[in-house]
Amino acid sequence: MLNLLASLRETDPAVRITIAKTWKVDIDSLNDADTITALHTTMTDPASAERVWETLSDSQRQALQTVIGFGSGSGKMPAAMLERFHGKIRKLGRGGVEREKPHEAPHSHAEALFYRGLLYEGYENARTGAQAVVYVPEDLLAVLPTHKTQFDGIENAPPPDAALPVDDAFAPRIDEIEIDDDEEIFNATTTIVDDMTTLLAHLQIYNAELGDNGLGETDIELLLPHLLDDNLFRLRFLFGVGISAELIEVQDKAAYPRRAETRRWLESARSEQLATLAAAWKDSVTYRDLWHVDGLHPEPTGWPYDPVVAREAILAMIRDFTPPEQWWSLDDFIIMVKEMEPDFQRPGGDYESWYIRNDAGEYLNGFESWDAVEGSLLDYVVNGPLYWLGMVDLAIDAARLTAYGRAFVGMDPWPNVPDQPESIQVSTDGTLTVSRRVSRFDRFQAMRFTDWITADPVNGYTFKLNAEGIRRAAEQGINTGHIEAFVSRMLN
């Protein structure tokens, strides 16, 4: 941010008039350049700064301390956030300043600070693009007696060069919480890798047709009984991630596995497969999380929603705001995001031009809809994609990062867990028993010429080698010689 001298140069001349009156600087006979110099000289004098500080009300000092303490003492905060906490700043011209006297009769605490020269406005790059911010120039901050309050005596104040206090309301990390022994815990798994294998095998065998939300109803009915997690929302997520990972190709309203990419992925270790799927979701522009939040109905009318920006912000906030290895409250996390970075997915803090309806058909506009939109999105991302990808364990209103999750948000290196492969067990009656430790490539191959019988997260899969499976294999160009060779390899 700019220093005080540069900030004064960027300030509207009408505002410099109110600053001069506040700081008791006579500028009537001065030109702009001399006015700026005179103001800078007075405003960097500790005695003058203390006098102006003493004219502030407790609420105005609190508003200023909010800006100073925001972001671990950065001295700046988003302008939209200041407006929500401490009111709007009217932009008055010379006539409005003379008539309204905003430095003496401000309409908000923020306005009082702005027209007294204690706050300035600027722009900085944020995840959602250029963001308006308010700030206190560092050289002005250095002379303000921020250690003092109305109730402190001078004898109790720390020396002027003492470190500025950081407002506890903006502490950068939420507290860990305890989970009762009898509370149900949903531990993360990597079953998404197994279910992606099943999805790819299904697309290899059948001519899957697409519906409005991805896979058509017929394919959904065929697939769900054979997934380790039969959640419909998760299946839609799985399909979207498969497209984003370039494992699935969509042509003419039909979906197919991409041959080379699918084989490379199937032959990879489980931890590498998971990393591929997680990265695909993180970078996906086609899977729009907001469109999958239960109770929200966005209308695609061209408003600037970027799912990648939103995801990157959410992952960064999980990294920065939550304890690394302990349980944390999802409600506390959402509250902190609302306080610290509420505009994480909104360019310029725009809460008016996005067209999103709720189940009742009402448009969710304005910051008052933040909980219904942003809050619901945060809840969905943690309980949905991050859990489905094995990044968090869940309890009631609580989450905890796994080793994969800590790596995914940038805390630790990605775990390279070696596979412990097993072979498919073949019975004399043609039953194939396939544990989750079996290579995904081998299971994919077996699924192409068998009937699918059961799928279980603990016991794995059972398939049946019969006439129907052999017939379906023939339609894919797989003859009985190929099948015999595969089964023989499993037996040896």
Side-chain angles (χ1 to χ4, degrees), residues 350-409:
D350 176 14
Y351 290 86
E352 301 300 331
S353 66
W354 288 26
Y355 294 92
I356 305 172
R357 294 179 186 266
N358 60 18
D359 286 337
E362 303 164 331
Y363 281 108
L364 300 171
N365 293 329
F367 189 73
E368 60 269 21
S369 295
W370 192 95
D371 291 307
V373 178
E374 275 72 17
S376 295
L377 174 64
L378 292 168
D379 184 90
Y380 167 76
V381 167
V382 174
N383 284 290
L386 289 179
Y387 176 65
W388 296 332
L389 287 165
M391 302 299 155
V392 293
D393 300 321
L394 295 177
I396 303 302
D397 181 42
R400 175 179 61 187
L401 288 169
T402 65
Y404 285 122
R406 292 192 294 275
F408 191 48
V409 302

Short mmCIF file of all heavy atoms in Angstrom, two decimals, residues 350-409:
data_model
loop_
_atom_site.label_atom_id
_atom_site.label_comp_id
_atom_site.label_asym_id
_atom_site.label_seq_id
_atom_site.Cartn_x
_atom_site.Cartn_y
_atom_site.Cartn_z
N ASP A 350 -19.28 -8.41 -5.26
CA ASP A 350 -20.58 -8.20 -5.91
C ASP A 350 -21.60 -9.23 -5.43
O ASP A 350 -21.48 -10.41 -5.74
CB ASP A 350 -20.41 -8.29 -7.44
CG ASP A 350 -21.72 -8.17 -8.18
OD1 ASP A 350 -22.73 -7.75 -7.56
OD2 ASP A 350 -21.75 -8.48 -9.39
N TYR A 351 -22.61 -8.77 -4.67
CA TYR A 351 -23.66 -9.65 -4.18
C TYR A 351 -25.02 -9.35 -4.81
O TYR A 351 -26.05 -9.79 -4.31
CB TYR A 351 -23.77 -9.54 -2.65
CG TYR A 351 -22.59 -10.14 -1.93
CD1 TYR A 351 -21.44 -9.39 -1.71
CD2 TYR A 351 -22.62 -11.45 -1.51
CE1 TYR A 351 -20.34 -9.94 -1.08
CE2 TYR A 351 -21.53 -12.02 -0.87
CZ TYR A 351 -20.39 -11.25 -0.66
OH TYR A 351 -19.31 -11.81 -0.03
N GLU A 352 -25.01 -8.61 -5.92
CA GLU A 352 -26.27 -8.20 -6.53
C GLU A 352 -26.51 -8.80 -7.91
O GLU A 352 -27.65 -9.03 -8.30
CB GLU A 352 -26.32 -6.66 -6.64
CG GLU A 352 -26.20 -5.94 -5.30
CD GLU A 352 -27.30 -6.31 -4.32
OE1 GLU A 352 -28.41 -6.66 -4.78
OE2 GLU A 352 -27.06 -6.26 -3.11
N SER A 353 -25.46 -9.07 -8.69
CA SER A 353 -25.66 -9.45 -10.09
C SER A 353 -25.66 -10.96 -10.33
O SER A 353 -25.80 -11.39 -11.47
CB SER A 353 -24.59 -8.80 -10.97
OG SER A 353 -23.31 -9.30 -10.67
N TRP A 354 -25.47 -11.76 -9.27
CA TRP A 354 -25.51 -13.22 -9.44
C TRP A 354 -26.96 -13.69 -9.33
O TRP A 354 -27.68 -13.30 -8.41
CB TRP A 354 -24.65 -13.90 -8.37
CG TRP A 354 -23.18 -13.73 -8.56
CD1 TRP A 354 -22.55 -12.71 -9.21
CD2 TRP A 354 -22.15 -14.60 -8.10
NE1 TRP A 354 -21.19 -12.88 -9.17
CE2 TRP A 354 -20.91 -14.03 -8.50
CE3 TRP A 354 -22.14 -15.78 -7.39
CZ2 TRP A 354 -19.69 -14.63 -8.22
CZ3 TRP A 354 -20.92 -16.38 -7.09
CH2 TRP A 354 -19.71 -15.80 -7.51
N TYR A 355 -27.35 -14.55 -10.25
CA TYR A 355 -28.74 -15.01 -10.29
C TYR A 355 -28.82 -16.43 -9.73
O TYR A 355 -28.56 -17.42 -10.41
CB TYR A 355 -29.27 -14.96 -11.73
CG TYR A 355 -29.38 -13.55 -12.25
CD1 TYR A 355 -28.33 -12.97 -12.95
CD2 TYR A 355 -30.53 -12.80 -12.02
CE1 TYR A 355 -28.42 -11.66 -13.41
CE2 TYR A 355 -30.64 -11.50 -12.48
CZ TYR A 355 -29.58 -10.94 -13.18
OH TYR A 355 -29.67 -9.64 -13.62
N ILE A 356 -29.17 -16.52 -8.45
CA ILE A 356 -29.27 -17.79 -7.75
C ILE A 356 -30.60 -17.81 -7.00
O ILE A 356 -30.90 -16.89 -6.24
CB ILE A 356 -28.11 -17.98 -6.75
CG1 ILE A 356 -26.76 -17.82 -7.46
CG2 ILE A 356 -28.20 -19.33 -6.07
CD1 ILE A 356 -25.58 -17.80 -6.50
N ARG A 357 -31.38 -18.86 -7.23
CA ARG A 357 -32.65 -19.02 -6.53
C ARG A 357 -32.53 -20.11 -5.46
O ARG A 357 -31.69 -20.99 -5.56
CB ARG A 357 -33.77 -19.41 -7.51
CG ARG A 357 -34.14 -18.36 -8.54
CD ARG A 357 -35.23 -18.89 -9.46
NE ARG A 357 -35.54 -18.01 -10.55
CZ ARG A 357 -36.53 -17.10 -10.52
NH1 ARG A 357 -37.27 -17.00 -9.44
NH2 ARG A 357 -36.76 -16.33 -11.57
N ASN A 358 -33.39 -20.02 -4.46
CA ASN A 358 -33.50 -21.11 -3.49
C ASN A 358 -34.64 -22.05 -3.91
O ASN A 358 -35.24 -21.86 -4.98
CB ASN A 358 -33.70 -20.57 -2.07
CG ASN A 358 -34.97 -19.72 -1.95
OD1 ASN A 358 -35.87 -19.78 -2.79
ND2 ASN A 358 -35.04 -18.92 -0.89
N ASP A 359 -34.94 -23.04 -3.10
CA ASP A 359 -35.98 -24.00 -3.46
C ASP A 359 -37.35 -23.36 -3.61
O ASP A 359 -38.21 -23.86 -4.34
CB ASP A 359 -36.06 -25.11 -2.41
CG ASP A 359 -34.90 -26.09 -2.50
OD1 ASP A 359 -34.30 -26.20 -3.59
OD2 ASP A 359 -34.58 -26.75 -1.49
N ALA A 360 -37.55 -22.25 -2.93
CA ALA A 360 -38.83 -21.55 -3.01
C ALA A 360 -38.92 -20.64 -4.23
O ALA A 360 -39.95 -20.00 -4.45
CB ALA A 360 -39.07 -20.73 -1.75
N GLY A 361 -37.83 -20.58 -5.02
CA GLY A 361 -37.83 -19.74 -6.21
C GLY A 361 -37.43 -18.31 -5.96
O GLY A 361 -37.49 -17.47 -6.87
N GLU A 362 -37.01 -17.99 -4.74
CA GLU A 362 -36.62 -16.62 -4.40
C GLU A 362 -35.16 -16.39 -4.77
O GLU A 362 -34.31 -17.24 -4.56
CB GLU A 362 -36.81 -16.39 -2.90
CG GLU A 362 -38.22 -16.63 -2.42
CD GLU A 362 -38.30 -16.78 -0.90
OE1 GLU A 362 -37.30 -17.23 -0.29
OE2 GLU A 362 -39.35 -16.45 -0.34
N TYR A 363 -34.86 -15.19 -5.30
CA TYR A 363 -33.48 -14.84 -5.62
C TYR A 363 -32.71 -14.53 -4.34
O TYR A 363 -33.22 -13.84 -3.45
CB TYR A 363 -33.43 -13.65 -6.56
CG TYR A 363 -33.72 -14.00 -8.00
CD1 TYR A 363 -34.92 -13.63 -8.60
CD2 TYR A 363 -32.80 -14.74 -8.74
CE1 TYR A 363 -35.19 -13.97 -9.92
CE2 TYR A 363 -33.06 -15.08 -10.06
CZ TYR A 363 -34.25 -14.69 -10.64
OH TYR A 363 -34.52 -15.04 -11.94
N LEU A 364 -31.49 -15.03 -4.26
CA LEU A 364 -30.63 -14.84 -3.10
C LEU A 364 -29.66 -13.72 -3.40
O LEU A 364 -28.53 -13.95 -3.85
CB LEU A 364 -29.91 -16.14 -2.75
CG LEU A 364 -30.84 -17.32 -2.43
CD1 LEU A 364 -30.04 -18.61 -2.31
CD2 LEU A 364 -31.63 -17.05 -1.15
N ASN A 365 -30.08 -12.48 -3.15
CA ASN A 365 -29.25 -11.31 -3.45
C ASN A 365 -28.79 -10.65 -2.16
O ASN A 365 -29.37 -10.84 -1.10
CB ASN A 365 -30.06 -10.29 -4.27
CG ASN A 365 -30.38 -10.80 -5.66
OD1 ASN A 365 -29.61 -11.56 -6.24
ND2 ASN A 365 -31.52 -10.40 -6.19
N GLY A 366 -27.73 -9.84 -2.29
CA GLY A 366 -27.25 -9.07 -1.16
C GLY A 366 -26.41 -9.89 -0.20
O GLY A 366 -26.45 -11.12 -0.20
N PHE A 367 -25.66 -9.19 0.64
CA PHE A 367 -24.80 -9.88 1.59
C PHE A 367 -25.61 -10.67 2.61
O PHE A 367 -25.11 -11.63 3.21
CB PHE A 367 -23.89 -8.88 2.31
CG PHE A 367 -22.84 -9.53 3.15
CD1 PHE A 367 -21.75 -10.16 2.56
CD2 PHE A 367 -22.94 -9.54 4.54
CE1 PHE A 367 -20.78 -10.78 3.34
CE2 PHE A 367 -21.97 -10.16 5.32
CZ PHE A 367 -20.90 -10.77 4.72
N GLU A 368 -26.87 -10.28 2.80
CA GLU A 368 -27.71 -11.02 3.75
C GLU A 368 -27.95 -12.46 3.31
O GLU A 368 -28.39 -13.29 4.11
CB GLU A 368 -29.04 -10.29 3.94
CG GLU A 368 -29.87 -10.12 2.69
CD GLU A 368 -29.57 -8.81 1.96
OE1 GLU A 368 -28.48 -8.23 2.19
OE2 GLU A 368 -30.43 -8.39 1.17
N SER A 369 -27.66 -12.76 2.04
CA SER A 369 -27.80 -14.14 1.54
C SER A 369 -26.49 -14.91 1.62
O SER A 369 -26.40 -16.02 1.08
CB SER A 369 -28.30 -14.12 0.09
OG SER A 369 -29.60 -13.59 0.01
N TRP A 370 -25.47 -14.35 2.26
CA TRP A 370 -24.15 -14.99 2.31
C TRP A 370 -24.24 -16.40 2.89
O TRP A 370 -23.68 -17.35 2.35
CB TRP A 370 -23.18 -14.15 3.14
CG TRP A 370 -21.76 -14.58 3.01
CD1 TRP A 370 -20.81 -14.07 2.17
CD2 TRP A 370 -21.09 -15.63 3.75
NE1 TRP A 370 -19.61 -14.72 2.32
CE2 TRP A 370 -19.75 -15.69 3.29
CE3 TRP A 370 -21.50 -16.51 4.74
CZ2 TRP A 370 -18.83 -16.59 3.79
CZ3 TRP A 370 -20.57 -17.42 5.24
CH2 TRP A 370 -19.25 -17.46 4.77
N ASP A 371 -24.94 -16.56 4.02
CA ASP A 371 -25.02 -17.88 4.65
C ASP A 371 -25.67 -18.90 3.72
O ASP A 371 -25.26 -20.07 3.68
CB ASP A 371 -25.79 -17.80 5.96
CG ASP A 371 -25.03 -17.02 7.02
OD1 ASP A 371 -23.86 -17.37 7.29
OD2 ASP A 371 -25.59 -16.06 7.57
N ALA A 372 -26.71 -18.47 2.99
CA ALA A 372 -27.44 -19.39 2.11
C ALA A 372 -26.61 -19.79 0.89
O ALA A 372 -26.78 -20.89 0.37
CB ALA A 372 -28.75 -18.75 1.65
N VAL A 373 -25.71 -18.91 0.44
CA VAL A 373 -24.92 -19.19 -0.76
C VAL A 373 -23.50 -19.60 -0.39
O VAL A 373 -23.12 -20.77 -0.49
CB VAL A 373 -24.90 -17.97 -1.71
CG1 VAL A 373 -24.03 -18.26 -2.94
CG2 VAL A 373 -26.31 -17.60 -2.15
N GLU A 374 -22.70 -18.66 0.08
CA GLU A 374 -21.31 -18.97 0.41
C GLU A 374 -21.21 -19.98 1.55
O GLU A 374 -20.40 -20.92 1.49
CB GLU A 374 -20.54 -17.69 0.78
CG GLU A 374 -19.98 -16.92 -0.39
CD GLU A 374 -21.04 -16.20 -1.21
OE1 GLU A 374 -22.18 -16.03 -0.71
OE2 GLU A 374 -20.74 -15.79 -2.35
N GLY A 375 -22.03 -19.80 2.59
CA GLY A 375 -22.00 -20.74 3.70
C GLY A 375 -22.35 -22.16 3.26
O GLY A 375 -21.71 -23.13 3.66
N SER A 376 -23.37 -22.26 2.41
CA SER A 376 -23.78 -23.58 1.90
C SER A 376 -22.71 -24.18 1.00
O SER A 376 -22.49 -25.40 1.00
CB SER A 376 -25.10 -23.47 1.15
OG SER A 376 -26.15 -23.08 2.02
N LEU A 377 -22.04 -23.35 0.21
CA LEU A 377 -20.97 -23.85 -0.66
C LEU A 377 -19.83 -24.41 0.18
O LEU A 377 -19.30 -25.50 -0.12
CB LEU A 377 -20.45 -22.73 -1.57
CG LEU A 377 -19.24 -23.09 -2.43
CD1 LEU A 377 -19.58 -24.20 -3.42
CD2 LEU A 377 -18.70 -21.86 -3.16
N LEU A 378 -19.43 -23.70 1.23
CA LEU A 378 -18.35 -24.19 2.10
C LEU A 378 -18.73 -25.53 2.73
O LEU A 378 -17.92 -26.46 2.79
CB LEU A 378 -18.04 -23.16 3.18
CG LEU A 378 -17.40 -21.85 2.71
CD1 LEU A 378 -17.43 -20.81 3.83
CD2 LEU A 378 -15.99 -22.07 2.23
N ASP A 379 -19.97 -25.63 3.20
CA ASP A 379 -20.45 -26.88 3.79
C ASP A 379 -20.40 -28.00 2.75
O ASP A 379 -19.98 -29.13 3.06
CB ASP A 379 -21.88 -26.67 4.30
CG ASP A 379 -22.41 -27.90 5.01
OD1 ASP A 379 -22.22 -28.00 6.23
OD2 ASP A 379 -23.03 -28.75 4.35
N TYR A 380 -20.82 -27.70 1.52
CA TYR A 380 -20.83 -28.72 0.47
C TYR A 380 -19.41 -29.18 0.13
O TYR A 380 -19.16 -30.38 0.00
CB TYR A 380 -21.49 -28.16 -0.79
CG TYR A 380 -21.26 -29.02 -2.01
CD1 TYR A 380 -21.97 -30.22 -2.18
CD2 TYR A 380 -20.32 -28.68 -2.98
CE1 TYR A 380 -21.74 -31.03 -3.29
CE2 TYR A 380 -20.09 -29.49 -4.08
CZ TYR A 380 -20.81 -30.65 -4.23
OH TYR A 380 -20.57 -31.46 -5.32
N VAL A 381 -18.48 -28.25 0.01
CA VAL A 381 -17.12 -28.62 -0.39
C VAL A 381 -16.47 -29.53 0.65
O VAL A 381 -15.80 -30.50 0.31
CB VAL A 381 -16.27 -27.35 -0.63
CG1 VAL A 381 -14.79 -27.70 -0.71
CG2 VAL A 381 -16.71 -26.65 -1.90
N VAL A 382 -16.68 -29.24 1.93
CA VAL A 382 -16.08 -30.07 2.97
C VAL A 382 -16.77 -31.43 3.06
O VAL A 382 -16.11 -32.48 3.07
CB VAL A 382 -16.12 -29.35 4.34
CG1 VAL A 382 -15.63 -30.28 5.45
CG2 VAL A 382 -15.26 -28.08 4.30
N ASN A 383 -18.10 -31.42 3.13
CA ASN A 383 -18.85 -32.68 3.27
C ASN A 383 -18.97 -33.46 1.98
O ASN A 383 -19.28 -34.65 2.01
CB ASN A 383 -20.25 -32.39 3.82
CG ASN A 383 -20.25 -32.06 5.29
OD1 ASN A 383 -20.01 -32.93 6.12
ND2 ASN A 383 -20.49 -30.81 5.62
N GLY A 384 -18.74 -32.81 0.85
CA GLY A 384 -18.83 -33.46 -0.44
C GLY A 384 -17.45 -33.75 -1.02
O GLY A 384 -16.80 -34.74 -0.64
N PRO A 385 -16.96 -32.92 -1.96
CA PRO A 385 -15.71 -33.24 -2.65
C PRO A 385 -14.53 -33.59 -1.76
O PRO A 385 -13.82 -34.56 -2.03
CB PRO A 385 -15.45 -31.96 -3.46
CG PRO A 385 -16.82 -31.44 -3.77
CD PRO A 385 -17.64 -31.74 -2.54
N LEU A 386 -14.29 -32.82 -0.70
CA LEU A 386 -13.11 -33.12 0.12
C LEU A 386 -13.25 -34.46 0.85
O LEU A 386 -12.27 -35.20 0.99
CB LEU A 386 -12.87 -31.99 1.13
CG LEU A 386 -12.36 -30.68 0.53
CD1 LEU A 386 -12.17 -29.64 1.62
CD2 LEU A 386 -11.05 -30.89 -0.23
N TYR A 387 -14.46 -34.79 1.29
CA TYR A 387 -14.67 -36.09 1.92
C TYR A 387 -14.61 -37.20 0.88
O TYR A 387 -13.97 -38.24 1.09
CB TYR A 387 -16.01 -36.10 2.65
CG TYR A 387 -16.36 -37.45 3.24
CD1 TYR A 387 -15.58 -37.99 4.27
CD2 TYR A 387 -17.44 -38.17 2.78
CE1 TYR A 387 -15.88 -39.23 4.82
CE2 TYR A 387 -17.76 -39.41 3.32
CZ TYR A 387 -16.98 -39.93 4.33
OH TYR A 387 -17.27 -41.17 4.87
N TRP A 388 -15.25 -37.01 -0.26
CA TRP A 388 -15.25 -38.03 -1.31
C TRP A 388 -13.84 -38.32 -1.81
O TRP A 388 -13.53 -39.44 -2.19
CB TRP A 388 -16.13 -37.59 -2.47
CG TRP A 388 -17.59 -37.44 -2.11
CD1 TRP A 388 -18.27 -38.13 -1.14
CD2 TRP A 388 -18.53 -36.56 -2.71
NE1 TRP A 388 -19.57 -37.73 -1.09
CE2 TRP A 388 -19.78 -36.78 -2.04
CE3 TRP A 388 -18.47 -35.61 -3.73
CZ2 TRP A 388 -20.93 -36.06 -2.39
CZ3 TRP A 388 -19.62 -34.91 -4.07
CH2 TRP A 388 -20.84 -35.14 -3.40
N LEU A 389 -12.99 -37.30 -1.81
CA LEU A 389 -11.61 -37.47 -2.28
C LEU A 389 -10.67 -38.00 -1.19
O LEU A 389 -9.48 -38.17 -1.43
CB LEU A 389 -11.07 -36.15 -2.81
CG LEU A 389 -11.65 -35.69 -4.16
CD1 LEU A 389 -11.33 -34.22 -4.41
CD2 LEU A 389 -11.10 -36.55 -5.30
N GLY A 390 -11.20 -38.23 0.00
CA GLY A 390 -10.38 -38.78 1.08
C GLY A 390 -9.53 -37.75 1.77
O GLY A 390 -8.54 -38.10 2.44
N MET A 391 -9.90 -36.47 1.69
CA MET A 391 -9.09 -35.40 2.26
C MET A 391 -9.45 -35.05 3.70
O MET A 391 -8.66 -34.45 4.41
CB MET A 391 -9.21 -34.14 1.39
CG MET A 391 -8.81 -34.35 -0.05
SD MET A 391 -7.09 -34.87 -0.19
CE MET A 391 -7.13 -35.73 -1.76
N VAL A 392 -10.67 -35.39 4.13
CA VAL A 392 -11.09 -35.08 5.49
C VAL A 392 -11.86 -36.25 6.09
O VAL A 392 -12.57 -36.97 5.38
CB VAL A 392 -11.99 -33.81 5.56
CG1 VAL A 392 -11.20 -32.56 5.19
CG2 VAL A 392 -13.24 -33.96 4.69
N ASP A 393 -11.69 -36.44 7.40
CA ASP A 393 -12.61 -37.26 8.19
C ASP A 393 -13.74 -36.36 8.64
O ASP A 393 -13.56 -35.14 8.82
CB ASP A 393 -11.90 -37.83 9.42
CG ASP A 393 -10.71 -38.71 9.07
OD1 ASP A 393 -10.81 -39.46 8.09
OD2 ASP A 393 -9.70 -38.64 9.80
N LEU A 394 -14.92 -36.93 8.85
CA LEU A 394 -16.08 -36.14 9.25
C LEU A 394 -16.69 -36.68 10.53
O LEU A 394 -16.66 -37.89 10.79
CB LEU A 394 -17.14 -36.15 8.15
CG LEU A 394 -16.79 -35.50 6.81
CD1 LEU A 394 -17.95 -35.67 5.83
CD2 LEU A 394 -16.44 -34.02 6.98
N ALA A 395 -17.26 -35.76 11.32
CA ALA A 395 -18.16 -36.09 12.41
C ALA A 395 -19.32 -35.09 12.30
O ALA A 395 -19.40 -34.37 11.31
CB ALA A 395 -17.43 -35.97 13.76
N ILE A 396 -20.19 -35.05 13.28
CA ILE A 396 -21.30 -34.10 13.21
C ILE A 396 -20.76 -32.68 13.36
O ILE A 396 -20.17 -32.32 14.37
CB ILE A 396 -22.33 -34.40 14.32
CG1 ILE A 396 -22.84 -35.84 14.19
CG2 ILE A 396 -23.49 -33.41 14.24
CD1 ILE A 396 -23.47 -36.16 12.85
N ASP A 397 -20.93 -31.87 12.30
CA ASP A 397 -20.43 -30.49 12.28
C ASP A 397 -18.94 -30.41 12.61
O ASP A 397 -18.48 -29.49 13.28
CB ASP A 397 -21.21 -29.58 13.23
CG ASP A 397 -20.71 -28.13 13.19
OD1 ASP A 397 -20.43 -27.65 12.09
OD2 ASP A 397 -20.53 -27.53 14.28
N ALA A 398 -18.17 -31.37 12.17
CA ALA A 398 -16.73 -31.34 12.45
C ALA A 398 -15.98 -32.03 11.33
O ALA A 398 -16.50 -32.91 10.65
CB ALA A 398 -16.43 -32.01 13.79
N ALA A 399 -14.74 -31.60 11.15
CA ALA A 399 -13.88 -32.20 10.13
C ALA A 399 -12.45 -32.22 10.64
O ALA A 399 -12.08 -31.49 11.57
CB ALA A 399 -13.98 -31.41 8.82
N ARG A 400 -11.65 -33.07 10.01
CA ARG A 400 -10.23 -33.19 10.36
C ARG A 400 -9.48 -33.60 9.09
O ARG A 400 -9.86 -34.55 8.41
CB ARG A 400 -10.05 -34.25 11.45
CG ARG A 400 -8.61 -34.55 11.81
CD ARG A 400 -8.53 -35.60 12.91
NE ARG A 400 -9.13 -36.88 12.50
CZ ARG A 400 -9.31 -37.92 13.31
NH1 ARG A 400 -8.96 -37.83 14.59
NH2 ARG A 400 -9.85 -39.04 12.86
N LEU A 401 -8.42 -32.88 8.78
CA LEU A 401 -7.65 -33.19 7.59
C LEU A 401 -6.93 -34.53 7.76
O LEU A 401 -6.38 -34.83 8.82
CB LEU A 401 -6.62 -32.09 7.32
CG LEU A 401 -7.15 -30.76 6.80
CD1 LEU A 401 -6.05 -29.70 6.84
CD2 LEU A 401 -7.71 -30.89 5.40
N THR A 402 -6.92 -35.31 6.70
CA THR A 402 -6.12 -36.53 6.65
C THR A 402 -4.72 -36.19 6.15
O THR A 402 -4.43 -35.04 5.80
CB THR A 402 -6.76 -37.55 5.71
OG1 THR A 402 -6.74 -37.02 4.37
CG2 THR A 402 -8.20 -37.85 6.12
N ALA A 403 -3.86 -37.19 6.08
CA ALA A 403 -2.52 -36.96 5.52
C ALA A 403 -2.62 -36.49 4.07
O ALA A 403 -1.89 -35.59 3.64
CB ALA A 403 -1.69 -38.24 5.60
N TYR A 404 -3.54 -37.09 3.31
CA TYR A 404 -3.77 -36.62 1.93
C TYR A 404 -4.30 -35.19 1.94
O TYR A 404 -3.90 -34.36 1.11
CB TYR A 404 -4.76 -37.54 1.22
CG TYR A 404 -4.19 -38.87 0.80
CD1 TYR A 404 -4.77 -40.06 1.24
CD2 TYR A 404 -3.10 -38.94 -0.05
CE1 TYR A 404 -4.27 -41.29 0.85
CE2 TYR A 404 -2.58 -40.18 -0.45
CZ TYR A 404 -3.17 -41.35 0.00
OH TYR A 404 -2.66 -42.57 -0.39
N GLY A 405 -5.21 -34.90 2.87
CA GLY A 405 -5.79 -33.56 2.93
C GLY A 405 -4.76 -32.50 3.27
O GLY A 405 -4.75 -31.41 2.68
N ARG A 406 -3.86 -32.80 4.22
CA ARG A 406 -2.82 -31.83 4.57
C ARG A 406 -1.91 -31.57 3.38
O ARG A 406 -1.47 -30.44 3.16
CB ARG A 406 -2.03 -32.34 5.77
CG ARG A 406 -2.83 -32.36 7.07
CD ARG A 406 -1.95 -32.59 8.29
NE ARG A 406 -1.33 -33.90 8.29
CZ ARG A 406 -1.90 -35.00 8.76
NH1 ARG A 406 -3.14 -34.96 9.24
NH2 ARG A 406 -1.27 -36.16 8.76
N ALA A 407 -1.65 -32.60 2.61
CA ALA A 407 -0.82 -32.41 1.41
C ALA A 407 -1.59 -31.60 0.36
O ALA A 407 -1.02 -30.73 -0.30
CB ALA A 407 -0.41 -33.77 0.84
N PHE A 408 -2.87 -31.87 0.22
CA PHE A 408 -3.68 -31.22 -0.81
C PHE A 408 -3.79 -29.72 -0.58
O PHE A 408 -3.79 -28.93 -1.53
CB PHE A 408 -5.06 -31.87 -0.84
CG PHE A 408 -5.90 -31.48 -2.02
CD1 PHE A 408 -5.39 -31.52 -3.31
CD2 PHE A 408 -7.22 -31.09 -1.84
CE1 PHE A 408 -6.17 -31.17 -4.40
CE2 PHE A 408 -8.01 -30.74 -2.92
CZ PHE A 408 -7.48 -30.78 -4.21
N VAL A 409 -3.86 -29.29 0.69
CA VAL A 409 -3.97 -27.85 0.96
C VAL A 409 -2.61 -27.19 1.09
O VAL A 409 -2.52 -25.98 1.33
CB VAL A 409 -4.81 -27.58 2.23
CG1 VAL A 409 -6.21 -28.16 2.08
CG2 VAL A 409 -4.13 -28.10 3.50
#
